[in-house]
Amino acid sequence: MTPPFDSSLSPPFDSSLSLDLIRAHLKTRAIGVVLSVHDEVDSTNRVLADLARAGAPHGAVVVAESQTAGRGRLGRSWVSPPGGNLYTSILLATPPASNTLTWIPLLAAVAIVRAVTTLTSLSLTVKWPNDVLVTRDGRGGTARKLAGILVDAITTDQSGSKAVVVGIGLNVNMPSEAFPEDLRASATSLLIETGRPWERAPILAALLGEVERLDDQWRDQGTSGIAAAYESLCATIGKQVRIEMAGSGPIEGQAEGLASDGALRVRTEEGKLLEIRSGDVVHLR
Ligand code: BTN
């Protein structure tokens, strides 16, 4: 059992994430206007999906201090102890052009990078599709994962209306020893990277603001702006990669860029161009 890690982070550094505190920082029009904050849930994605089925509107947000069954990509779990991270889910109504839905996880990655780089001086990149990494240029070591995104597509009513739940886990005040041992070399937090604790409400407000900006842009202008922003942040493009895929063996090749739906284009050694839509990427060189 991972111990709680909040003992040294009492106010004024990081008081608990109350509704009022978040609202005091929030400058959005729609995202987070309906907001619920919980001490403990199984998964914020599950809670928000239920609220969506009960009629919660576009932009509804669920935040929790801890999750007992936080979910990650590819059936993994997301370590979610109490005391200082962000676990949040955002409901986005499906736009008319639902063939652009595959961009939502990439949109969320761009939003996290923008929010965190507005508030800190960290250098962040994205590993396809949506792992947000801190690059440790000049400090040795490989890039470490700061945040992850899990997007669930849901049906909200009997007429078949669709929406997406965008779940974001961002490690804020988690010290190294609070991560399970097998994650310590690959995961990080703002505390670890900057050497000091961070207030979560301004980070959450900045994140929701960036999601709103990108969501507006996506609905008004399509995906080209998001694609360009994502490509400029994506450390995978141009790299030799290995991709572990469920149900088949790994693939190796050169990541050449993105397809029109955000899939990763990979050129194998035999010269075949593949479009990868799901899998775990390892950057080789
Ligand atoms: C990943 O595997 O990288 C995705 C992790 C996503 C974790 C977040 S925490 C808030 C939301 N609720 C969940 O159960 N998962 C997502």
Side-chain angles (χ1 to χ4, degrees):
M1 184 74 188
T2 311
F5 54 91
D6 59 345
S7 54
S8 62
L9 298 175
S10 52
F13 283 121
D14 194 40
S15 41
S16 66
L17 261 180
S18 71
L19 206 58
D20 287 348
L21 197 57
I22 298 168
R23 287 220 169 108
H25 289 275
L26 207 56
K27 296 193 185 80
T28 48
R29 189 192 68 254
I31 307 276
V33 169
V34 170
L35 174 67
S36 63
V37 182
H38 305 256
D39 270 350
E40 182 182 279
V41 296
D42 52 357
S43 156
T44 55
N45 273 28
R46 200 276 306 156
V47 172
L48 186 56
D50 281 358
L51 290 175
R53 290 185 199 103
H58 168 75
V61 170
V62 169
V63 180
E65 279 287 348
S66 67
Q67 300 182 115
T68 53
R71 289 165 47 227
R73 285 180 63 237
L74 307 171
R76 299 189 183 119
S77 57
W78 186 256
V79 178
S80 310
N85 290 330
L86 283 172
Y87 315 113
T88 188
S89 298
I90 306 161
L91 184 66
L92 299 181
T94 305
S98 58
N99 59 341
T100 61
L101 269 187
T102 47
W103 281 95
I104 292 185
L106 290 75
L107 174 160
V110 174
I112 296 172
V113 172
R114 287 186 176 171
V116 172
T117 49
T118 307
L119 298 167
T120 72
S121 56
L122 294 175
S123 168
L124 303 186
T125 55
V126 180
K127 179 161 74 88
W128 186 92
N130 50 19
D131 283 355
V132 176
L133 308 178
V134 179
T135 51
R136 299 182 139 196
D137 297 338
R139 285 188 295 151
T142 51
R144 290 171 189 226
K145 181 161 166 174
L146 179 73
I149 298 157
L150 178 71
V151 174
D152 291 321
I154 58 167
T155 304
T156 53
D157 61 27
Q158 295 190 334
S159 65
S161 300
K162 298 266 193 301
V164 282
V165 172
V166 181
I168 295 174
L170 172 60
N171 300 324
V172 181
N173 292 319
M174 182 116 141
S176 182
E177 60 275 15
F179 286 99
E181 229 171 290
D182 59 328
L183 292 182
R184 278 181 206 161
S186 60
T188 195
S189 68
L190 294 183
L191 172 72
I192 295 168
E193 295 300 319
T194 64
R196 67 142 171 117
W198 288 80
E199 265 192 80
R200 288 170 294 163
I203 300 173
L204 177 62
L207 175 60
L208 299 182
E210 295 296 346
V211 169
E212 181 159 281
R213 247 187 295 284
L214 289 161
D215 183 61
D216 287 349
Q217 182 185 0
W218 172 53
R219 284 166 206 274
D220 295 347
Q221 301 158 30
T223 56
S224 59
I226 288 156
Y230 180 87
E231 279 168 354
S232 73
L233 296 172
C234 181
T236 306
I237 298 170
K239 286 221 165 63
Q240 185 71 18
V241 294
R242 184 174 65 246
I243 302 171
E244 324 274 357
M245 295 195 299
S248 65
I251 287 170
E252 271 194 36
Q254 181 85 9
E256 291 194 341
L258 300 182
S260 60
D261 63 353
L264 186 67
R265 287 205 161 116
V266 177
R267 178 85 57 187
T268 65
E269 275 179 10
E270 301 77 47
K272 226 166 131 187
L273 189 60
L274 304 175
E275 291 189 352
I276 309 295
R277 293 194 164 72
S278 171
D280 219 9
V281 171
V282 180
H283 293 165
L284 297 175
R285 55 186 182 275

